[in-house]
Amino acid sequence: SQMTGECFIHADQEKVRRMVINLLDNAIRYNQPRGEIRCRIEQSTAGQGQIALRLANTGTGIDANDRARVFDQFYRCEKSRSTVHGGSGLGLTIVKRIVELHGGRIAVTSEAPNWTVFVVTLPLGRAA
């Protein structure tokens, strides 16, 4: 379900900023020309007291065999990506570590027709 109003998480602000920057950087870097990026925060369907950050792009998708490995250090779905797109190959590894440090989970799916979706689930915190 879509959330209305504010939501709070108990988190390290700089680490969460880095997590979002890395996810956005990947969404831009691996998008199609004139592609689209969508981002939203919603109540997680995984359980109460959690939020889900969904970041999707209209990239070429990630093969099912590669999805399990995209968070591995230096892993690239295609070897040519390092020269075409640049980057260190550490972005998603860092994202996963930040998510886990905050007691969350991250997953990637491909949705029809051409959407690649990263979902970060984090526990809700309390308002200050």
Side-chain angles (χ1 to χ4, degrees):
S1 67
Q2 204 118 11
M3 296 188 75
T4 56
E6 295 179 323
C7 65
F8 296 89
I9 58 173
H10 183 72
D12 180 303
Q13 184 176 341
E14 284 307 311
K15 284 184 174 61
V16 170
R17 179 179 284 131
R18 172 54 46 205
M19 175 191 79
V20 173
I21 288 170
N22 284 7
L23 285 171
L24 282 170
D25 182 60
N26 260 30
I28 293 166
R29 192 181 301 250
Y30 297 109
N31 207 347
Q32 296 176 359
R34 291 195 253 265
E36 198 174 333
I37 294 173
R38 295 182 185 169
C39 182
R40 77 175 183 232
I41 296 175
E42 58 194 11
Q43 183 110 26
S44 172
T45 56
Q48 299 230 348
Q50 295 181 324
I51 60 158
L53 166 67
R54 293 174 51 91
L55 186 66
N57 76 337
T58 50
T60 55
I62 299 173
D63 184 81
N65 295 327
D66 290 321
R67 277 184 229 142
R69 300 196 58 204
V70 294
F71 302 105
D72 293 354
Q73 195 168 325
F74 306 121
Y75 183 75
R76 301 230 183 231
C77 297
E78 300 167 18
K79 299 301 176 211
S80 62
R81 282 188 168 192
S82 59
T83 54
V84 173
H85 297 290
S88 66
L90 290 171
L92 291 177
T93 303
I94 291 167
V95 167
K96 184 177 182 191
R97 288 185 183 156
I98 291 170
V99 170
E100 289 173 347
L101 277 171
H102 289 87
R105 293 180 317 281
I106 186 166
V108 61
T109 61
S110 286
E111 295 178 5
N114 293 316
W115 289 95
T116 299
V117 184
F118 284 86
V119 181
V120 175
T121 306
L122 295 169
L124 279 168
R126 294 185 198 160

